[in-house]
Amino acid sequence: MSQQQISLPAKLINGGIAGIVGVTCVFPIDLVKTRLQNQRPGQQVYKSMMDCLVKTVRSEGYFGMYRGAAVNLTLVTPEKAIKLAANDFFRHHLAKHGKGLNVFKEMLAGCAAGMCQVIVTTPMEMLKIQLQDAGRLAAQQQKPVIVSSTKLVVTNPVLSRSYNSGMVVSAPRAVSATQIAKELLQTHGIKGLYRGLGATLMRDVPFSIVYFPLFANLNHLGKTSPEESSPFYWAFLSGCVAGSTAAVAVNPCDVVKTRLQSLNKGSNEETYNGVVDCVSKILRKEGPSAFLKGAGCRALVIAPLFGIAQVMYFVGVGEYIVDNSPLHLLSA
C-alpha cells in the first residue's frame, strides 16, 4: 500500500460501499449484541443470540431487527471511509523510501486511524443504541405488569422516561434518530451527541491497533510473490480473521461504551458516572464475565464487515468509479 499513490476519493468510496453492504447484512446481529450487553442479572429478557432474534421478530416483526439501521446506513459511509482511508494515509506517510512498515509503525497508523473515526462513530453509536435497545426495554416493562388498553402519554419520550425511578410504564412509543438528536442538542448541546467519547476511544483505538497490523501480516502470507497481491478469497478471510480477533479483544470496552451511551434504563438498572464508575459497578455486581457479553455477536458482525471492506479494496470499485467520473480530477 505504501508503494502506491493513494487516491483518497477511491478509498472513501471503497470504505463507504463496504460499510453499506456490510451493515445491511449483519445489522440484526448488531442489534442483538446491544440488547445482550445491556441486560442485567435477574432481568434477562433474552437467553441467547438466537432467542433474542426470535423474540425480536415475534414482537417487533422482521423490520424490528433493523431498528437504528437508518442511522448506521447514513453514517457508516463516512465512518468506515475515514477509518480505512486514514489508515492508508498514515501508512503511506510512515513508510520510508517505499519500504514496508514494521509492526510498531503499523500499530501507530492504526492508532491514528482509530482516533480519526470517533468523530463520526460516537454520535452514530449514540443514536443507534437508543433505537436498538428500545425493544428490550419494552419487553422488560411488559414482563412484570399488565399494560392497560389505554395508551399512556409520555411527554418527553427520549430523555425523561421514569426508568431510573423504579416506576414501570407502558412500552415507549417509537422515536426517530432525528428526534433523539434534536432532544440531545436542545438539552445538552453538541456534547450530548458525544456522550461516551472516552469509552469509544478506548474501544476503537485498540481495535485499530490490533486489526490493521494483523490484517496486513495475514494478507501478506497469501502473496505468491512480493510484487503480486494476495488472492480475492485470501483478502476476505484475512479481513474476517483480523476483524473478529480485534472485536473480541476490545469487547469489554464495547460493553462499557454501550452502558454509558444508553440514555434510557429499565426499572432498577444502574446508572453510571463515567468509565471508571461503570467498570467498577459491572465488576462488583455482575462479575468479570459481564465484559464478554455480546462478544460472539460482535465477532459475527465485525468479521464480514471488514472482510467485505477488504474485498472492495481488492476489486477496486472506488478506483473504477473515480476513473470513470469527474472525481478523477480530485485524485490527479
Side-chain angles (χ1 to χ4, degrees):
M1 190 67 70
S2 62
Q3 295 174 350
Q4 302 171 3
Q5 179 65 38
I6 294 177
S7 169
L8 185 59
K11 301 304 178 187
L12 294 174
I13 292 169
N14 281 331
I17 294 173
I20 291 170
V21 174
V23 166
T24 303
C25 295
V26 301
F27 192 84
I29 304 175
D30 187 62
L31 178 138
V32 170
K33 180 217 69 155
T34 298
R35 293 186 178 185
L36 291 177
Q37 285 181 340
N38 265 331
Q39 287 194 139
R40 291 1 180 228
Q43 297 178 323
Q44 282 93 343
V45 178
Y46 313 108
K47 298 176 183 177
S48 64
M49 180 179 73
M50 285 307 300
D51 182 55
C52 183
L53 284 171
V54 170
K55 287 180 178 176
T56 299
V57 173
R58 283 178 180 172
S59 61
E60 302 169 53
Y62 174 79
F63 291 106
M65 295 190 296
Y66 283 88
R67 275 196 180 193
V71 178
N72 254 33
L73 290 171
T74 303
L75 297 178
V76 75
T77 298
E79 191 254 353
K80 286 289 178 289
I82 289 170
K83 186 187 192 84
L84 296 171
N87 179 68
D88 284 350
F89 176 82
F90 289 115
R91 286 177 68 88
H92 178 74
H93 286 279
L94 286 170
K96 290 184 178 179
H97 311 297
K99 295 180 181 179
L101 299 177
N102 57 33
V103 175
F104 174 75
K105 286 187 176 179
E106 288 179 337
M107 294 173 71
L108 192 60
C111 174
M115 293 181 72
C116 289
Q117 79 169 87
V118 298
I119 297 169
V120 177
T121 303
T122 307
M124 178 183 76
E125 293 276 314
M126 184 72 187
L127 298 174
K128 182 193 73 172
I129 285 171
Q130 315 316 316
L131 298 171
Q132 285 183 327
D133 203 39
R136 179 190 69 88
L137 293 171
Q140 187 188 92
Q141 291 163 31
Q142 289 168 1
K143 282 181 72 177
V145 297
I146 298 173
V147 181
S148 66
S149 57
T150 57
K151 255 190 174 179
L152 294 179
V153 177
V154 183
T155 56
N156 188 335
V158 183
L159 302 175
S160 303
R161 293 181 190 141
S162 304
Y163 295 141
N164 291 324
S165 65
M167 176 181 168
V168 180
V169 297
S170 65
R173 70 179 185 181
V175 292
S176 67
T178 305
Q179 288 175 290
I180 297 171
K182 184 178 178 181
E183 185 70 31
L184 285 168
L185 288 170
Q186 287 177 344
T187 55
H188 299 286
I190 191 68
K191 70 177 182 179
L193 289 174
Y194 282 87
R195 176 173 172 169
L197 175 61
T200 306
L201 280 167
M202 282 174 54
R203 182 196 68 172
D204 289 347
V205 171
F207 178 92
S208 297
I209 289 173
V210 173
Y211 172 78
F212 286 111
L214 182 57
F215 169 77
N217 287 279
L218 287 174
N219 197 44
H220 182 74
L221 296 175
K223 295 182 178 181
T224 53
S225 67
E227 294 79 22
E228 296 180 6
S229 13
S230 57
F232 169 90
Y233 67 88
W234 195 270
F236 176 77
L237 290 174
S238 298
C240 288
V241 172
S244 58
T245 302
V248 173
V250 302
N251 196 74
C253 299
D254 191 54
V255 172
V256 172
K257 183 197 73 65
T258 300
R259 296 283 181 93
L260 287 174
Q261 289 188 318
S262 297
L263 296 173
N264 302 318
K265 307 290 184 182
S267 56
N268 303 317
E269 287 184 353
E270 287 282 357
T271 55
Y272 307 105
N273 299 311
V275 173
V276 175
D277 181 56
C278 182
V279 171
S280 62
K281 283 181 178 177
I282 291 173
L283 271 175
R284 187 172 68 252
K285 299 194 175 183
E286 302 175 52
S289 63
F291 290 108
L292 293 177
K293 284 183 176 181
C297 294
R298 183 159 163 76
L300 289 173
V301 168
I302 296 297
L305 266 178
F306 282 89
I308 292 168
Q310 298 306 334
V311 167
M312 290 296 163
Y313 271 51
F314 180 91
V315 174
V317 176
E319 286 81 351
Y320 177 81
I321 293 174
V322 168
D323 291 342
N324 291 275
S325 72
L327 287 172
H328 74 276
L329 298 174
L330 297 176
S331 55

